[in-house]
Amino acid sequence: MNWGSEMTDKTEIASITDEAFLDDLFQSARSVDLDDAQNDGFMARMMADAFDAQDDLLAVPETTAASELAPRRSWLRAFSDAIGGWPSFAGMAVATLAGIWIGMTPPAGLTDLAPLALADTESTALVEAFGFATGFDSLQEEG
Amino acid sequence: MPFDCTTPEDEAMLLAKFAAGDRTAARVLTQRFAPISLSFAMRKIGNRSVAEDIAQEALLRLWKISGDWEKGRARISTWLYQVVSNLCVDWYRKQKETGQGTDDLPEPATESSDGAEAKLQHNARLYALYDALGRLPERQRLAVEMRHIEGYSNPEIAAALGVGVEAVESLTARGKRALAAQLVGKQDELGFRDD
């Protein structure tokens, strides 16, 4: 406790009288007669409170553990969250329907192209048929 | 001594043990800080029962944060002082709102002029002081109380409030100016004689 430092800010108070008045009031507050705090009943209650508080603190992890046992998210919900939610599902559905539609009613050009792509010798024919230049011909000519 | 309680580190260690369920730490902390809390409250609230309730509430708050107490934090006593002080301000406000008088205020330790009149004067002074303190911003109030009533040093107050020593001096000075402004004109009413 440091009563001596009280004088340092005296100049901050507007009037010496005000300062003395405040000091007088502070002195009244300091002079209060304190009861004996070591009252047995009070201390016993404080001790019981402390033990109860400890028990409550130790019970907190159990509460946390219980919350961890709460129903887990379904795998569908987790998957949905992982791919971005219902908009992604909508996109996937459209793509699936488009695939089925193309499979059932393929465009005419696709049916012609498929046997060429799957045959052994078609790579040359495909290049020739569609006029794709590989670039190797010109390189060979340049030597 | 494994359960010494003289340094901030001791206190932090004891609170950590408390939070871990150590009954001995609970006993040491309670025996050390329950009387201190009660004294803080009794200085402001004369009613023993009310002071005990306030001290009890302050300690319960300490127990609740025991697991989160930081080593570099203020001392437990100054932390408790702040909690008790705030609870006492609430009590004074309720007293005022409900129109309660000053009967419950504490007795002076040394009655230089014995008698009921002196006691009434003393109570009126305390009521006026704590009423005015309760109107200050919290930090100003705590700085003024801790320094001028409880006698803490500026560095102790600075640590408790988490500010620098210069800020404490500023808070104290502003707090006293505000107090003086509130109490001006009450010198005669409160029995002050500027000899």
Side-chain angles (χ1 to χ4, degrees):
Chain A
M1 305 296 171
N2 177 21
W3 306 111
S5 60
E6 215 168 292
M7 299 294 285
T8 42
D9 56 6
K10 287 206 169 188
T11 54
E12 302 288 342
I13 304 295
S15 116
I16 297 297
T17 303
D18 288 343
E19 176 68 36
F21 179 42
L22 285 185
D23 283 346
D24 204 42
L25 290 177
F26 293 143
Q27 178 55 40
S28 293
R30 287 198 295 267
S31 70
V32 165
D33 188 19
L34 301 179
D35 280 11
D36 179 13
Q38 298 286 355
N39 176 288
D40 287 343
F42 170 71
M43 290 304 289
R45 278 189 288 114
M46 293 303 100
M47 202 66 79
D49 272 0
F51 291 161
D52 288 347
Q54 277 187 311
D55 293 341
D56 290 345
L57 286 172
L58 292 173
V60 168
E62 291 171 17
T63 308
T64 305
S67 69
E68 287 171 0
L69 295 176
R72 296 177 61 184
R73 290 192 314 166
S74 70
W75 66 269
L76 186 61
R77 181 62 180 267
F79 176 69
S80 167
D81 290 346
I83 66 170
W86 67 266
S88 300
F89 270 117
M92 287 170 64
V94 169
T96 303
L97 288 173
I100 291 171
W101 180 74
I102 289 170
M104 294 180 69
T105 58
L110 195 61
T111 50
D112 295 336
L113 196 59
L116 297 175
L118 294 172
D120 289 340
T121 58
E122 265 56 5
S123 58
T124 305
L126 192 65
V127 169
E128 289 172 359
F130 290 93
F132 291 152
T134 62
F136 289 112
D137 296 339
S138 58
L139 285 174
Q140 284 174 338
E141 286 172 7
E142 288 172 5
Chain B
M1 181 177 173
F3 286 109
D4 202 359
C5 195
T6 54
T7 68
E9 290 73 25
D10 292 339
E11 293 179 355
M13 182 268 292
L14 276 172
L15 282 172
K17 284 179 177 288
F18 178 94
D22 188 318
R23 295 299 202 206
T24 307
R27 287 192 190 90
V28 171
L29 286 166
T30 304
Q31 284 166 357
R32 172 119 171 80
F33 293 107
I36 288 175
S37 298
L38 184 58
S39 295
F40 286 154
M42 279 299 296
R43 198 185 291 283
K44 297 180 174 64
I45 312 286
N47 184 308
R48 170 82 187 209
S49 169
V50 175
E52 286 190 0
D53 287 346
I54 286 175
Q56 183 175 19
E57 175 62 27
L59 280 177
L60 283 174
R61 293 186 186 187
L62 176 65
W63 305 145
K64 278 183 185 170
I65 64 150
S66 59
D68 301 321
W69 189 267
E70 297 162 16
K71 280 184 181 175
R73 207 164 179 167
R75 303 299 298 263
I76 293 175
S77 58
T78 51
W79 184 89
L80 277 172
Y81 182 79
Q82 294 178 66
V83 175
V84 168
S85 177
N86 289 338
L87 291 170
C88 288
V89 166
D90 291 343
W91 182 82
Y92 269 94
R93 283 180 184 152
K94 281 181 188 167
Q95 288 287 103
K96 197 168 186 183
E97 285 168 9
T98 56
Q100 298 291 314
T102 58
D103 294 345
D104 285 338
L105 286 170
E107 303 274 345
T110 52
E111 293 190 37
S112 52
S113 53
D114 291 322
E117 191 178 338
K119 183 188 170 190
L120 285 173
Q121 187 72 272
H122 176 81
N123 286 354
R125 283 164 158 257
L126 290 189
Y127 193 84
L129 174 62
Y130 285 119
D131 184 47
L133 281 166
R135 295 168 192 271
L136 299 184
E138 184 179 355
R139 283 174 175 244
Q140 284 184 27
R141 170 173 53 79
L142 288 169
V144 170
E145 285 182 356
M146 292 177 82
R147 182 170 172 189
H148 292 286
I149 299 176
E150 299 299 333
Y152 286 104
S153 68
N154 280 353
E156 286 173 318
I157 300 168
L161 300 182
V163 298
V165 173
E166 287 183 3
V168 170
E169 289 170 359
S170 171
L171 284 168
T172 310
R174 281 185 282 140
K176 288 181 75 176
R177 274 202 302 272
L179 270 185
Q182 285 189 62
L183 295 168
V184 68
K186 291 190 176 179
Q187 283 98 332
D188 292 338
E189 179 189 337
L190 297 175
F192 173 68
R193 293 177 188 85
D194 187 19
D195 298 326

